[in-house]
Amino acid sequence: MQIDKVLIATTNKGKLKEFKQLLSNIGIEVLSLEDMKEKIDVEENKKTFLENAIKKAKEYAKFYKIPVIAEDAGLEVEELGRYPGVYSARFYDIEFGGKEPVKDNKDKANINKLLRLLEGKENRKARFVSVIVFYNPEDFGIWAEGYCKGKIAKKPVGEGGFGYDPIFIPEGYKKTMAQLTSEEKNKISHRGKAVRKLISILKKIITA
Ligand code: ITT
């Protein structure tokens, strides 16, 4: 079977940049939501990363009638019972741990809230999770997941990446994810791992 193009259905510019890098060598045209004339809103209201990713992939694929890759990702912090988890994008705005005012932007408010909740805590273990779903509206869907273990820094450092990267120190490193180059991040990141698994499955399907 043949797949000529795929739509990366994300509204997050940081994620889109990484997906484009990770999918640059697979010989399939990669489109983003900016290439689509009509816009739709897909609500993320499920309890797990997988359910949210499936919902996004299916709704976009059915609307645009092309194959889609969608992701639900987030940060799980051991001390907080795996919060922010599926609420990572809007952690600042949920009741858990008290709401955090947005001064500069949402990413910074999320980081401030997390650092506040971990103040004085010994256990700062955390992991990033990525669940990605490829959905072909005509035939089938497949999914893959990736994890990146690490710990939460005491304060934000670094300008690269996005989201929680300035406070996430990957296992085996002495710097934050935001201090890595994009190549370094892609090699070890939850998203990099999930995308590489998905590509290996897709290659088998495409050549079958
Ligand atoms: P889409 O749903 O449109 O893809 P989103 O930003 O809402 O965009 P998610 O629901 O998957 O995406 O939320 C993921 C949040 O988790 C994201 O906003 C970041 O705050 C955080 N996150 C995910 N991957 C990350 C990464 O690689 N580095 C830092 N933070 C990340």
Side-chain angles (χ1 to χ4, degrees), residues 26-166:
I26 57 164
I28 296 176
E29 189 187 351
V30 176
L31 303 173
S32 71
L33 291 174
E34 283 169 6
D35 300 314
M36 301 294 151
K37 264 202 221 123
E38 273 185 273
K39 306 290 172 202
I40 56 165
D41 245 346
V42 178
E43 209 192 338
E44 280 175 58
N45 49 8
K46 303 286 184 190
K47 293 248 153 32
T48 65
F49 292 113
L50 180 57
E51 286 171 298
N52 276 329
I54 291 175
K55 182 170 191 270
K56 284 192 254 188
K58 271 191 169 176
E59 288 189 26
Y60 282 111
K62 287 191 171 153
F63 185 81
Y64 292 117
K65 299 186 175 57
I66 56 169
V68 159
I69 287 178
E71 178 198 55
D72 198 32
L75 180 67
E76 294 183 338
V77 178
E78 202 173 89
E79 179 71 26
L80 304 180
R82 295 201 180 171
Y83 269 87
V86 290
Y87 306 106
S88 293
R90 53 190 170 95
F91 188 42
Y92 71 93
D93 199 33
I94 64 169
E95 296 296 338
F96 176 94
K99 293 194 181 193
E100 189 75 21
V102 178
K103 288 183 199 136
D104 302 313
N105 58 53
K106 292 173 184 178
D107 281 350
K108 282 194 181 152
N110 284 333
I111 285 178
N112 289 342
K113 176 164 174 177
L114 194 52
L115 291 179
R116 169 166 64 74
L117 294 178
L118 289 183
E119 230 169 73
K121 303 283 186 202
E122 280 290 305
N123 181 6
R124 304 183 76 88
K125 279 191 206 156
R127 65 175 186 176
F128 274 125
V129 182
S130 160
V131 177
I132 50 178
V133 170
F134 171 92
Y135 191 77
N136 182 338
E138 295 183 357
D139 300 305
F140 67 97
I142 53 175
W143 65 279
E145 64 190 348
Y147 297 91
C148 181
K149 282 198 212 164
K151 63 179 182 195
I152 303 301
K154 296 263 160 66
K155 58 176 181 19
V157 187
E159 303 294 327
F162 66 96
Y164 296 89
D165 282 342

